[in-house]
Amino acid sequence: MKVYLDHSATTYVDKDVLEGMLPYFTDVFGNGSSQHFYGREALKAIDEARDKVAKALNCKSTEIYFTSGGSESDNMAIKGYALAHKDKGNHIITSKIEHPAVLESCRKLEKMGFEVTYLDVDNEGFVDPKAVEAAITDKTILITIMLANNEIGTIEPIKEIAQIAKAHHIAIHTDAVQAIGNIPVDVQDLGVDMLALSGHKFYGPKGIGVLYKKNGVKIERFLDGGEQERNLRASTLNTPGIVGIGYAIEKAVKDLDKNAKHMAEVRDYFVKKVQDSLEYIMYNGPKDSSKRLPGNSDFSFVGIEGEGILFHLDLAGIAVSSGSACSSGSLDPSHVLLAIGVPMAIAHGSIRFSFGKMNTKEEVDYTVDVLVKTVNQLRSMSPIYDELIGEYKKCIMKK
Ligand SMILES: *Cc1c(COP(=O)(O)O)cnc(C)c1O
């Protein structure tokens, strides 16, 4: 049996999305900027996709910019806004649990003379809107907080934070890469100025992303060259990718309720089964399912290494993630788990199981079987297991 439980790292492209894309690799190959028939045909498809994205997010088509992915959209929004407003102030507010695309953009800006406040989160990963307000100074120009966390699934109170930003005339950007297709994403309702998406996280292609930027919000041009994307991002438009993200977002929104309900059901079944089968584990992230992405679960297994668990699950055909895909390969435990107060040694033994719209309870049964055997076996060989149980108990008492 092969089980894919790493949908937060990436998803496959839906067959009908792929079919919609295929003509744009061959027959309709024109450059969307060309002034002949081939170009016009490509541009028509791009315009249609832009309309689909705008409709899905409840904004105007002129507020949609196509990029190469979620990382680029975050970079473009944060650096682009900061550079365009450096005369107004040099302070940015973000959180400690952002995706590296946001954190590293902020670090780069720090090197350029900006000041960044990295807000703490509580033990379920929530940013406190009051802490955002308290961090505001007369130099603050931008707030960037993610809509939903990629490791522990926390859905942040962006609407409230956006209201605070607005009251202080500060721009707000949100990384909604993990949110779309899992929870409603309506830019008017959220009240954000900029928002980032990535095609491959919701059954669309890789290498295509979206930046929503409210009309009137100024940012510096991200990629210098031609005048594509209203002169904010040069480079020939990726017609197949754009067509793909258009179809994918249309489906994601149409099937949102059905998919979210299914994922939450399978996820809840998995979480209960794990909790019933193993002791000395921590379920990281919100306990209240309504404040958590429906497909997300994240556990720390006291006394063992996440990499060891991942290796054994992989041998059994089960694909999961230890920490986040971006930091796997490094030996540092996840910055997100440390930020919610998981002790370093316990954070090392963490695995994210992220469910998709097609996972089944049969797959969960198989996964839990393998997982329980693996954890028990690794623990029986672990020299630090007994020692860490003490640490774990202290940690549970605190909560
Ligand atoms: C995956 C992800 C990104 C990066 O998107 P890419 O398209 O892979 O560059 C950014 N933010 C979050 C929260 C993500 O999960």
Side-chain angles (χ1 to χ4, degrees):
M1 196 173 199
K2 271 187 130 180
V3 186
Y4 186 74
L5 297 179
D6 204 8
H7 292 82
S8 288
T10 196
T11 60
Y12 52 86
V13 178
D14 269 335
K15 288 232 162 56
D16 46 353
V17 171
L18 175 66
E19 267 160 33
M21 293 170 67
L22 284 177
Y24 297 93
F25 286 103
T26 51
D27 300 346
V28 196
F29 65 88
N31 181 327
S33 306
S34 297
Q35 291 174 348
H36 44 62
F37 173 77
Y38 293 89
R40 275 195 304 277
E41 255 195 327
L43 187 61
K44 182 164 168 281
I46 291 164
D47 284 344
E48 279 170 16
R50 205 184 295 278
D51 292 345
K52 285 188 167 83
V53 176
K55 190 170 173 226
L57 296 179
N58 190 22
C59 65
K60 299 191 188 81
S61 298
T62 53
E63 296 175 315
I64 298 301
Y65 298 81
F66 291 112
T67 68
S68 68
S71 298
E72 187 185 318
S73 299
D74 285 334
N75 273 262
M76 184 168 164
I78 296 167
K79 292 181 200 165
Y81 191 89
L83 294 176
H85 294 83
K86 59 178 189 291
D87 298 341
K88 290 217 180 102
N90 69 342
H91 181 231
I92 296 163
I93 298 172
T94 187
S95 84
K96 286 189 177 162
I97 65 164
E98 298 297 311
H99 188 273
V102 169
L103 291 175
E104 294 300 318
S105 292
C106 288
R107 295 216 172 97
K108 177 63 69 68
L109 287 170
E110 281 182 296
K111 286 193 191 138
M112 297 166 71
F114 287 86
E115 280 171 25
V116 181
T117 299
Y118 300 89
L119 293 172
D120 285 322
V121 295
D122 72 10
N123 62 15
E124 294 189 327
F126 290 104
V127 173
D128 181 354
K130 288 196 200 78
V132 175
E133 185 146 42
I136 292 172
T137 71
D138 54 3
K139 296 273 168 48
T140 310
I141 51 173
L142 176 67
I143 296 170
T144 172
I145 307 274
M146 67 203 323
L147 184 48
N149 183 267
N150 46 304
E151 292 188 40
I152 54 172
T154 312
I155 300 167
E156 300 294 349
I158 293 303
K159 200 171 164 171
E160 269 179 86
I161 295 170
Q163 280 163 1
I164 292 166
K166 201 164 188 184
H168 292 265
H169 307 288
I170 296 165
I172 175 155
H173 164 258
T174 191
D175 176 330
V177 172
Q178 291 289 334
I180 192 88
N182 294 306
I183 58 170
V185 179
D186 175 327
V187 295
Q188 310 290 333
D189 181 56
L190 289 170
V192 293
D193 296 301
M194 295 179 284
L195 176 145
L197 297 179
S198 170
H200 72 97
K201 301 287 175 78
F202 57 98
Y203 309 95
K206 292 174 182 55
I208 185 77
V210 161
L211 175 65
Y212 156 78
K213 182 181 74 63
K214 196 162 140 186
N215 283 338
V217 173
K218 299 247 173 323
I219 63 171
E220 195 117 300
R221 178 156 93 160
F222 186 67
L223 207 50
D224 294 319
E227 296 186 357
Q228 287 89 354
E229 296 304 82
R230 276 141 284 147
N231 210 8
L232 284 184
R233 185 198 188 258
S235 190
T236 301
L237 291 168
N238 170 4
T239 317
I242 291 171
V243 168
I245 205 170
Y247 283 120
I249 204 165
E250 195 172 46
K251 278 187 80 171
V253 169
K254 180 165 79 62
D255 299 338
L256 173 66
D257 293 342
K258 186 180 79 181
N259 291 341
K261 186 166 170 278
H262 173 77
M263 284 187 285
E265 197 178 309
V266 176
R267 187 270 318 271
D268 291 347
Y269 176 71
F270 169 76
V271 169
K272 178 156 193 328
K273 238 181 138 151
V274 173
Q275 286 171 333
D276 288 347
S277 321
L278 288 165
E279 53 177 2
Y280 302 121
I281 57 175
M282 288 169 74
Y283 182 44
N284 303 311
K287 307 292 173 279
D288 176 353
S289 286
S290 71
K291 293 183 175 169
R292 179 173 196 135
L293 289 176
N296 174 279
S297 66
D298 189 285
F299 283 102
S300 298
F301 303 92
V302 174
I304 49 185
E305 291 287 326
E307 271 68 30
I309 304 172
L310 188 145
F311 176 77
H312 285 267
L313 294 186
D314 187 30
L315 283 180
I318 302 161
V320 297
S321 168
S322 69
S324 72
C326 314
S327 59
S328 51
S330 90
L331 287 174
D332 295 335
S334 140
H335 67 288
V336 176
L337 297 180
L338 296 182
I340 62 169
V342 179
M344 175 92 76
I346 293 177
H348 273 297
S350 304
I351 297 282
R352 176 185 69 189
F353 304 83
S354 51
F355 293 83
K357 61 184 179 180
M358 297 304 282
N359 284 125
T360 62
K361 288 187 180 171
E362 288 71 42
E363 291 177 329
V364 168
D365 290 339
Y366 173 66
T367 301
V368 175
D369 255 11
V370 176
L371 178 68
V372 169
K373 281 189 201 121
T374 300
V375 169
N376 287 334
Q377 188 198 346
L378 291 174
R379 277 179 174 170
S380 70
M381 305 185 307
S382 165
I384 51 170
Y385 179 43
D386 294 326
E387 182 189 322
L388 284 182
I389 288 172
E391 190 80 15
Y392 167 81
K393 283 185 176 151
K394 266 191 271 166
C395 191
I396 293 294
M397 299 259 285
K398 254 194 277 172
K399 288 201 171 182

